[in-house]
Amino acid sequence: MLNHIVIMGRLTRDPELRRTGSGVAVASFTLAVDRDYSPKDGGERETDFIDCVAWRQTGEFVSKYFAKGRMAVVSGRLQIRGWTDKDGNKRRSAEVVADNVYFGDSKRDGDGAYSANAGSNPGNTYSAPAGGSFGSYTAPASAPASDFAMLEDDDAQLPF
């Protein structure tokens, strides 16, 4: 069975970082994701507001480097969660549990609405995986922004 989802959108608010009773970090945030198609009558595209949750190092990474308005790419799984509201009615909510979160833009592409310590994003190439994921550079949750260096764009050094 396969449950994998990749979405790209802008954060509708700053991520909310909380901790469980045992101290595990969990960040909640919502992405505004435009639909791929435009209505036939030429109107505006519709937007879906998708709740996301990131655990442990990924949650700390999102909380530290992302803010309202920032473009993010989230890779993870769709989870349907059941709960009971205050009136005793059973409810269901869908959310994306993020395994990896990537920058979808660079800080210089934005309007300056990001926090001052958001760091630079050379090439949008790093992420913070939640588990044993591979194939991407992991930014340590405790790494200051100065640990990242600009990459030279010299194709002559590539072996292919």
Side-chain angles (χ1 to χ4, degrees):
M1 306 223 208
L2 181 64
N3 181 357
H4 186 79
I5 186 169
V6 178
I7 58 174
M8 179 175 174
R10 294 200 180 270
L11 274 75
T12 62
R13 58 182 165 80
D14 290 343
E16 180 182 341
L17 182 67
R18 291 174 293 171
R19 301 221 177 248
T20 64
S22 58
V24 177
V26 57
S28 301
F29 57 99
T30 301
L31 288 185
V33 180
D34 286 338
R35 294 188 182 172
D36 287 339
Y37 57 89
S38 296
K40 292 179 183 177
D41 63 2
E44 289 188 36
R45 286 185 182 180
E46 291 187 38
T47 302
D48 294 306
F49 296 89
I50 301 173
D51 293 328
C52 300
V53 62
W55 292 85
R56 298 177 183 77
Q57 293 89 357
T58 305
E60 291 174 358
F61 175 79
V62 168
S63 175
K64 184 173 182 179
Y65 292 105
F66 287 85
K68 179 181 178 179
R70 191 81 196 251
M71 181 75 72
V73 179
V74 175
S75 171
R77 63 186 169 85
L78 183 63
Q79 176 175 287
I80 309 298
R81 193 168 41 92
W83 52 282
T84 305
D85 68 12
K86 63 182 179 182
D87 298 326
N89 299 316
K90 292 190 183 248
R91 303 284 186 169
R92 294 176 68 179
S93 298
E95 63 189 6
V96 174
V97 179
D99 292 327
N100 294 289
V101 177
Y102 305 90
F103 290 108
D105 61 2
S106 66
K107 186 174 179 182
R108 65 182 161 266
D109 291 341
D111 59 359
Y114 316 137
S115 63
N117 63 352
S120 64
N121 181 20
N124 302 328
T125 57
Y126 49 90
S127 69
S133 180
F134 49 87
S136 61
Y137 176 78
T138 302
S142 62
S146 63
D147 286 354
F148 297 104
M150 291 299 290
L151 298 176
E152 294 296 325
D153 191 22
D154 184 8
D155 292 340
Q157 295 178 1
L158 296 176
F160 48 90

